């Protein structure tokens, strides 16, 4: 259990740094703690997906729940990350969050 916490904690911390650097490189305005708060808020669908996957051993159910969680998380991040950059660079700003959500979803499937 400690290993799972460590991996998720590290993934969120590194993801927050990557999102901050990416938004800054795209000319946006965001601080590290804003990015960290954003990740904490937008990861909730992945936590819900993990909780729904925990009691069920069916692989198809687990994959479906994780994909829905990743989609919901990414959709929730668009207004927040997109507001930090211009309209034309919104997809580039959200892409690292999508990759991080996909990585945490993969961890849900592998470690769950």
């Amino acid at each position: 259990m400690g290993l799972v916490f460590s991996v998720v904690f590290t993934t969120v911390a590194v993801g927050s740094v990557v999102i901050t650097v990416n938004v800054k490189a795209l000319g946006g305005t965001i601080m590290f703690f804003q990015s960290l708060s954003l990740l904490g808020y937008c990861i909730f669908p992945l936590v819900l997906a993990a909780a729904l996957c925990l009691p069920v051993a069916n692989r198809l159910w687990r994959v479906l729940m994780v994909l829905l969680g990743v989609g919901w998380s990414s959709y929730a991040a668009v207004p927040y990350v997109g507001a930090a950059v211009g309209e034309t660079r919104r997809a580039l700003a959200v892409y690292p969050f999508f990759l991080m959500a996909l990585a945490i979803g993969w961890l849900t499937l592998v470690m769950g």
Side-chain angles (χ1 to χ4, degrees), residues 15 17-28 30 38 74 77-78 80-100:
V17 170
V18 168
I19 288 173
T20 304
V21 169
N22 184 45
V23 169
K24 291 279 190 183
L26 291 171
I30 195 169
L38 164 81
S74 298
V78 169
Y80 300 108
V81 175
V85 295
E87 185 78 27
T88 59
R89 297 181 177 187
R90 183 172 287 173
L92 289 172
V94 175
Y95 184 68
F97 180 82
F98 171 73
L99 290 178
M100 193 208 58

Side-chain angles (χ1 to χ4, degrees), residues 48-70:
L48 185 62
L52 291 173
C53 288
L54 195 60
V56 180
N58 185 349
R59 191 71 157 167
L60 181 61
W61 169 260
R62 294 170 67 94
V63 169
L64 181 64
M65 288 299 106
V66 167
L67 288 177
L68 285 173
V70 167

